[in-house]
Amino acid sequence: MFILEAPYPNIQTTTLLPSPNWGDSIEPVAIVKALRAMDGTLYTYVKSKDQRKKHSWEFNISRDKALELEAFIRSYTSSKIKIVDHDNTIFIGYLQTNPSAFSGSGRAPSVPGGEYMSVSINFEESE
Amino acid sequence: MTLRVTRQMLEALVTGESQLRVTRQMLEALYYDPYYPQTIADTLTLNETVHYDLWKWASGSDSLIFSDHAPGDFPVSISDTLVLSDAGQRCQIGSAAEDLDFTDAASFIHAVDDFKPTGDYLTFTETVVVENGKWQYVPQTLTFTETVTWHGSIRLALNHYISFAETVSNNNNPRQSITDLCTFAQYAGRPYSVAIADSLTFVDASVRMNHASDSLTFNQVVVGGKGGDGSDVLAFTQTVVKQASFLKDATTLLNLGQSTSYYYVTPCITKQYHPFIGTSDYTGQPDAPASTTPLKQLIPANPRFQLIYPAAGGIDDYVDLRAPELDNRDSSAHTRINRESRGGNLTVFADPVWPKINTISCTFIGLTGTEIALIQAFILNHIGEAIQVIDWEGRAWLGVVLKPNEPATCDGRDKWSIGFEFEGTRIEDYNPGLSLVFSDTATNIVLRRPIVSDSLIFNESANFRLN
């Protein structure tokens, strides 16, 4: 299970999603700029950015759950949110997906909404 | 028994070898009775009696003065000690008490304006004068300390009482005054770096089935008074007096927020629309999403895709297509500021009134050439103008067509496909196809009285909210 809660720390809304698809990624946002002087000395300029990381998850969810997630993103697009991922790891940060696109994946008459939708979430830690 | 030798007599004989030989010895011993002191008492009694009949301004006083003087120049110590020590031992009912009683009595007052004060004073006065010192410390301590240790299940009680109790009675003066004062007053005269603190502390510790309570009680009773008043005042007053002008801001940051959120784990918890919205009293909290689904999901009775012009009002132009393919894409873009400071902090901000843009992208296949001609004509005729779109789920949108130049492709014999991209906002409050209904009511009530009242009331209310 994948849990999104916002706004952090005074949580007022919780949205539950199924576990994401394979292919989720973690990307450090730190930057290293290397410059070499005329005498051959290597200088590195580092932006550690507090060791923050970017995360990317993709979900296949029902149409109803897509509407719920869209409403969640709409409400807390600028709020700090808390994510408990499928490994029970907690992240605090902001949703970076803009725009958030929900694509119709296929018909599924047995699920709420009658369709499956796919959506990607990009998230950047802030603390 | 103690023996005490009091007398000894010896008879000696002298032999020829110049040796002394004792032949007889007698001892007289006196029996000495043991003596155990029964009572040891030191008494310092100061007792004066002054008879009032002899002299009007008589006075009697008892003084117990401890006066020490140490003339040393370097670390000196002066102390006065009045120790009352009692010990009761090996008694079933023991009692250890220390009393320092002040009892004064003035009697025989029978003359007007005669005034004989009675008072008990326990005064601690210390004065330390250091001409060239760095640190002065003048303590005054009034300490009540009792310790009871008892190995047994007997209820114990340790009490300290500081009681103020005055009674004024049988006084001909109608203005009576009773005052209890417990005053903490400190003064630090140094011009800077001083600290003055008054503390009234209640500390209780209770262990195992006991009760700890602190009470600060103000209780005044006015009985039979004449215009009397009773008031309780608990005042905290701080005053800072400065000789110079400093700009100081007094701020109190008490930023407390509470929130409660919850969710129920059900088998369909990750499928259904069900945001678990709790409560929060934190100020500045954004609005939570609706707890009900934004659209009543159902299989539309007429799963068509309709384009209507104008966006609101009567229909002037109209195109009806089949539902698009499943690769449709709903995009929701939010206007916000996303910045990163030089220190690496991520800051995201969005004003709630800033626009949120929804875009629909979809593809139609299997259209006839006539339908392609109709939709292209519709788009070109109303290019840049607001239209209304009713999608295949029955949702009504208000917006514009973003790509009028979307190519139409002929995939087969009278079989065309075309893309469609639309940006708009969804109309949430009204289902498509419903017109605005105005309901007027004319009420005509005739009463028996010769007054006829006719009322024609028009009350319309139309809510047309765009999101």
Side-chain angles (χ1 to χ4, degrees):
Chain A
M1 190 181 296
F2 196 91
I3 304 173
L4 293 93
E5 294 178 305
Y8 181 83
N10 292 96
I11 305 297
Q12 69 177 0
T13 303
T14 301
T15 294
L16 305 181
L17 299 178
S19 295
N21 300 336
W22 288 109
D24 55 303
S25 62
I26 305 174
E27 172 191 353
V29 296
I31 296 174
V32 176
K33 185 177 182 180
L35 296 176
R36 191 172 295 277
M38 288 295 291
D39 59 356
T41 306
L42 180 63
Y43 295 94
T44 57
Y45 298 88
V46 177
K47 291 183 179 179
S48 64
K49 300 190 177 183
D50 293 339
Q51 300 184 352
R52 286 186 281 114
K53 295 177 182 175
K54 283 183 178 177
H55 299 262
S56 178
W57 299 281
E58 184 175 351
F59 298 90
N60 283 337
I61 54 180
S62 66
R63 174 64 176 157
D64 278 9
K65 185 56 70 172
L67 292 173
E68 176 184 332
L69 181 59
E70 183 183 7
F72 182 90
I73 294 173
R74 176 186 289 267
S75 294
Y76 305 114
T77 181
S78 61
S79 299
K80 194 177 289 186
I81 71 171
K82 173 186 175 184
I83 286 180
V84 183
D85 72 355
H86 50 289
D87 292 326
N88 281 331
T89 308
I90 298 176
F91 304 106
I92 308 298
Y94 295 95
L95 290 173
Q96 292 288 38
T97 309
N98 193 16
S100 55
F102 297 81
S103 299
S105 301
R107 284 183 56 81
S110 61
V111 304
E115 289 182 10
Y116 267 119
M117 305 202 78
S118 63
V119 59
S120 293
I121 289 180
N122 294 324
F123 175 84
E124 183 168 342
E125 301 175 12
S126 65
E127 58 185 69
Chain B
M1 185 180 70
T2 303
L3 287 179
R4 184 178 179 188
V5 177
T6 56
R7 190 182 309 165
Q8 184 174 15
M9 183 177 70
L10 300 176
E11 288 183 7
L13 296 177
V14 178
T15 64
E17 297 168 350
S18 300
Q19 291 181 346
L20 190 62
R21 180 180 179 187
V22 176
T23 60
R24 188 165 48 182
Q25 183 178 11
M26 181 181 69
L27 293 177
E28 289 185 2
L30 295 179
Y31 176 74
Y32 182 75
D33 290 331
Y35 178 75
Y36 300 99
Q38 299 297 323
T39 302
I40 297 175
D42 294 332
T43 303
L44 177 61
T45 303
L46 304 175
N47 189 6
E48 291 85 18
T49 302
V50 178
H51 295 282
Y52 177 73
D53 296 339
L54 299 179
W55 186 251
K56 183 176 181 180
W57 299 105
S59 65
S61 63
D62 295 334
S63 299
L64 180 61
I65 301 173
F66 298 88
S67 178
D68 303 311
H69 175 68
D73 293 334
F74 295 99
V76 297
S77 175
I78 298 175
S79 64
D80 293 334
T81 303
L82 176 61
V83 179
L84 305 177
S85 177
D86 301 310
Q89 297 178 349
R90 295 179 64 85
C91 296
Q92 287 186 347
I93 301 176
S95 176
E98 294 175 348
D99 296 324
L100 183 61
D101 295 331
F102 297 85
T103 302
D104 303 311
S107 58
F108 301 105
I109 301 174
H110 48 71
V112 177
D113 295 332
D114 274 353
F115 180 71
K116 284 183 175 293
T118 62
D120 295 332
Y121 302 97
L122 181 60
T123 304
F124 298 88
T125 301
E126 290 87 16
T127 302
V128 175
V129 178
V130 180
E131 296 294 339
N132 193 19
K134 291 183 179 179
W135 193 67
Q136 298 182 7
Y137 181 56
V138 180
Q140 291 180 344
T141 303
L142 179 62
T143 304
F144 299 88
T145 303
E146 288 90 22
T147 301
V148 174
T149 302
W150 197 292
H151 300 284
S153 58
I154 297 176
R155 294 192 57 173
L156 303 178
L158 296 178
N159 298 318
H160 296 311
Y161 296 106
I162 298 180
S163 300
F164 299 89
E166 291 86 15
T167 301
V168 175
S169 63
N170 195 17
N171 194 326
N172 291 326
N173 192 345
R175 301 180 66 86
Q176 300 179 0
S177 176
I178 299 175
T179 304
D180 293 332
L181 291 176
C182 182
T183 305
F184 298 89
Q186 288 87 18
Y187 173 72
R190 292 179 66 86
Y192 53 88
S193 295
V194 297
I196 298 176
D198 293 332
S199 297
L200 182 61
T201 305
F202 298 88
V203 177
D204 300 314
S206 176
V207 181
R208 286 184 66 124
M209 300 293 291
N210 285 322
H211 181 66
S213 65
D214 293 330
S215 298
L216 183 61
T217 304
F218 298 86
N219 189 8
Q220 287 86 26
V221 178
V222 177
V223 179
K226 203 173 187 179
D229 189 15
S231 63
D232 295 331
V233 178
L234 181 62
F236 297 90
T237 303
Q238 290 85 25
T239 303
V240 177
V241 179
K242 304 187 292 292
Q243 296 296 327
S245 177
F246 298 99
L247 294 178
K248 298 278 188 183
D249 291 332
T251 59
T252 301
L253 294 178
L254 189 60
N255 191 5
L256 299 178
Q258 298 174 345
S259 64
T260 302
S261 183
Y262 60 91
Y263 61 90
Y264 299 118
V265 179
T266 61
C268 288
I269 196 169
T270 57
K271 297 178 182 177
Q272 297 172 336
Y273 182 91
H274 199 164
F276 302 96
I277 298 174
T279 61
S280 176
D281 59 0
Y282 189 74
T283 56
Q285 200 92 311
D287 294 334
S291 58
T292 57
T293 177
L295 175 68
K296 182 68 175 176
Q297 289 294 307
L298 48 87
I299 301 299
N302 185 18
R304 307 291 285 178
F305 193 85
Q306 299 170 338
L307 307 179
I308 301 171
Y309 178 83
I315 299 175
D316 288 343
D317 199 357
Y318 174 81
V319 173
D320 184 74
L321 303 176
R322 55 161 293 186
E325 291 303 291
L326 270 171
D327 60 350
N328 66 291
R329 174 178 290 258
D330 292 347
S331 296
S332 179
H334 310 122
T335 305
R336 64 182 184 182
I337 295 174
N338 192 341
R339 296 287 185 272
E340 189 175 83
S341 69
R342 180 170 294 188
N345 294 325
L346 180 64
T347 303
V348 177
F349 173 77
D351 195 298
V353 301
W354 290 355
K356 297 179 175 64
I357 302 168
N358 293 284
T359 305
I360 297 174
S361 301
C362 52
T363 304
F364 297 90
I365 65 171
L367 299 179
T368 64
T370 304
E371 289 175 326
I372 289 293
L374 285 176
I375 188 173
Q376 285 188 333
F378 181 91
I379 293 174
L380 292 176
N381 289 335
H382 310 296
I383 184 170
E385 295 179 314
I387 65 171
Q388 182 180 161
V389 170
I390 300 175
D391 67 9
W392 62 100
E393 290 181 322
R395 300 181 300 175
W397 299 80
L398 199 66
V400 297
V401 177
L402 287 182
K403 291 185 176 179
N405 54 352
E406 194 76 35
T409 305
C410 182
D411 301 323
R413 186 179 181 86
D414 201 16
K415 180 183 176 184
W416 294 76
S417 63
I418 190 171
F420 182 80
E421 188 164 338
F422 172 85
E423 176 185 318
T425 57
R426 191 158 58 84
I427 307 170
E428 293 183 345
D429 292 339
Y430 292 96
N431 292 324
L434 295 178
S435 60
L436 293 178
V437 177
F438 293 90
S439 177
D440 299 333
T441 301
T443 304
N444 190 352
I445 301 175
V446 180
L447 301 178
R448 284 186 176 182
R449 293 181 180 180
I451 298 175
V452 178
S453 174
D454 294 333
S455 298
L456 182 63
I457 302 171
F458 293 92
N459 188 6
E460 293 90 12
S461 176
N463 294 324
F464 196 76
R465 189 174 71 186
L466 303 181
N467 189 18

